[in-house]
Structures are given as C-alpha cells and as structure tokens.
Amino acid sequence: MIGTDAVLAGVDVGGTNTKVLLASPTLDVVDRIDLPTPAHAGGAAIVGAALGAVTELLERHGGSLAGVGVGAAGVVDADTGTVLVTGNSFTGWAGYGVVDAVASALGVPATLDNDVNAFLLGEVATGAVAGEPDVLGMTLGTGVGGALVLGGVLFAGPRGAAGEIGHVPGFGDALCTCGQVGHLETIAGARGIADRHAERTGRRLSARAVAEAARAGDPDAAAVFETAGWGLARAALLTAGILDVTTVVIGGGIARSWDLLEPATARAIAAEPPVSGASIRLAQSALGADAVALGAAARVRDLVLGGAPAL
C-alpha cells in the first residue's frame, strides 16, 4: 500500500537531457528537475545523475518514496530492467541493469520501460486519452516511435516491438535511418520532414523552420506537412483495420505543429474512413515534456499497488 505521505519518482532518460519528477499517487506533479544526461559516461553515471535529482527533490519536499519508474530511449527488457540496445548517443548504457541499480540505491521498487511506451502510459493514465482502454501512441521526434495499449494494458508483443508504426513500410520510397525503405519515419519524423523539404526546394531547413514556412504560405513546406498528415492517417487507418483501435494520441516535438498536422490527417482519414464505420479520434499529447516521466511513475505505481504488472 502507498501511504498518505507517499510520492513516486518518474525519470525520463534521453540522449541529451534527463527529466526527473516527483508525483503524488494520483500523478499530480509535485516538482521536477531537468539536467544534462551524462550519456557517454556509462550506465552508472547516467543512473547516478538521475538518483541525485530524486534525492534533491525529496529533500525539498519530504514524503516517503514509494517507487521509481524509468523511461529510457532505446530497446529495453522490461522483465529484467535492462537496457538492451541504444543509439550512438549513449556509451555504456546498453546492457546496464537499470532497475537493479535504482532499487539497490534507494531501497524501493523500480521499473523500466521504453520511452515511447512510457509516453503512452502517461497519456492513458492522466493525459489526453485518460481512461481509454485501446490506444495507439505515436511520438514524432527525430524519428517516429509507436506503442499500443490494448484492453487497458500495455501490449509489447512477443519480441517487444508491438506498435512500432514508425518502421512499417508503404510510405514512399525514401531511405529510412534503419536502412530500409519507405517507412513512416521518412515523412513524419523531424529528419524526414527536413529531408523531404530539401528534396523539393534544394534548401536545408529544420523541421521547425519548415513548419514556419508552411504557416507563412510556402507551398513546398505545406506539401511536406500534407504528406506527413497523410502518413499519420495511414498509420491510424492500418491500426483501425488490423486491431480495431480507433484512438490515437500523438506527441513529440513535431506534434507542436498540430495546427498543420491535424487538418492534413483529418482530410486523409475522411477520404478513406475505416471499413468498420467507426470514427478515429486524434488527440495531441496533453502532458508535453512530462509524458514519459509521468508514464514511468504510473507504471511503478501500478507495481506498488499490485495492479498491472511491470511488463
């Protein structure tokens, strides 16, 4: 049981920054700290920096720490609490036993999830799709990540790759960062948006600058976002057709251009609605930069309360 003075810690480990927050058992944020991730100093240093922030927050606010949830970029084994694979943004992170290190240091239960899974758990627990039992989550950052909640439970799949809609083919013929061709990431991630605009114009702009140009009436920039919206619609329609999941929550930096993405996505869905006749609900993340850390906190809360097990 969680006591009345209990708090939960949620940690979001990114390649550049780590966000650490304290939350109440109802997932109200008490306080947060953002700090640089010592990404090339090894797993012990990465976890140590996060634990230092947890300790600082506890010293500020008191309370009894009930558990720590961690969301981390890369491929993780949630069963063993270990990071399996990371990009070149990290050194000495793959293979590190995060859960064992956190639990040993603080003496409380700990959980580990992929950051996109944690994002979706946060939005389902207390965000834009709170209480929804069946949801596709997509994060539009440098690339495109995906996750699924089915029947109110995170569905990771037998190999942990369920929901990875960003790396499904059928979205054109551009080369993806993973080495394959035509993935959603090539048209809806920040790198893909910049690349597609450069192909059309010969000018290299950031995805944010492409969005600004689209708002200013640049037809090439507008076309790039129209294509991104078509891709998001196709992802939603594939999910609706295969799983009968018709609620989609979208986060990440590119989702801040919701004024461009949402109309384009809605137009594409209206042109080819689900065969079931059900309407698709598109929601922008309500938790913003807190989503991953809050989702991690929600996961460890479920573990401590004896609810859904850590997957």
Side-chain angles (χ1 to χ4, degrees), residues 238-266:
L238 285 168
T239 306
I242 295 169
L243 295 174
D244 197 23
V245 171
T246 55
T247 299
V248 183
V249 59
I250 300 173
I254 298 301
R256 288 195 285 268
S257 298
W258 194 243
D259 58 316
L260 301 171
L261 288 171
E262 193 277 335
T265 306

Side-chain angles (χ1 to χ4, degrees), residues 200-283:
R200 297 178 68 97
T201 66
R203 294 182 293 119
R204 187 76 190 179
L205 300 177
S206 68
R208 178 179 294 182
V210 175
E212 291 171 353
R215 295 185 185 103
D218 182 322
D220 289 308
V224 168
F225 271 92
E226 193 72 21
T227 299
W230 169 84
L232 297 179
R234 183 175 175 85
L237 291 166
L238 285 168
T239 306
I242 295 169
L243 295 174
D244 197 23
V245 171
T246 55
T247 299
V248 183
V249 59
I250 300 173
I254 298 301
R256 288 195 285 268
S257 298
W258 194 243
D259 58 316
L260 301 171
L261 288 171
E262 193 277 335
T265 306
R267 282 191 292 270
I269 290 172
E272 194 176 8
V275 69
S276 67
S279 60
I280 290 179
R281 177 190 172 200
L282 296 171

Side-chain angles (χ1 to χ4, degrees), residues 65-89:
L65 184 65
V68 179
V70 180
V75 179
V76 309
D77 184 337
D79 287 333
T80 64
T82 303
V83 178
L84 297 179
V85 181
T86 66
N88 57 15
S89 298

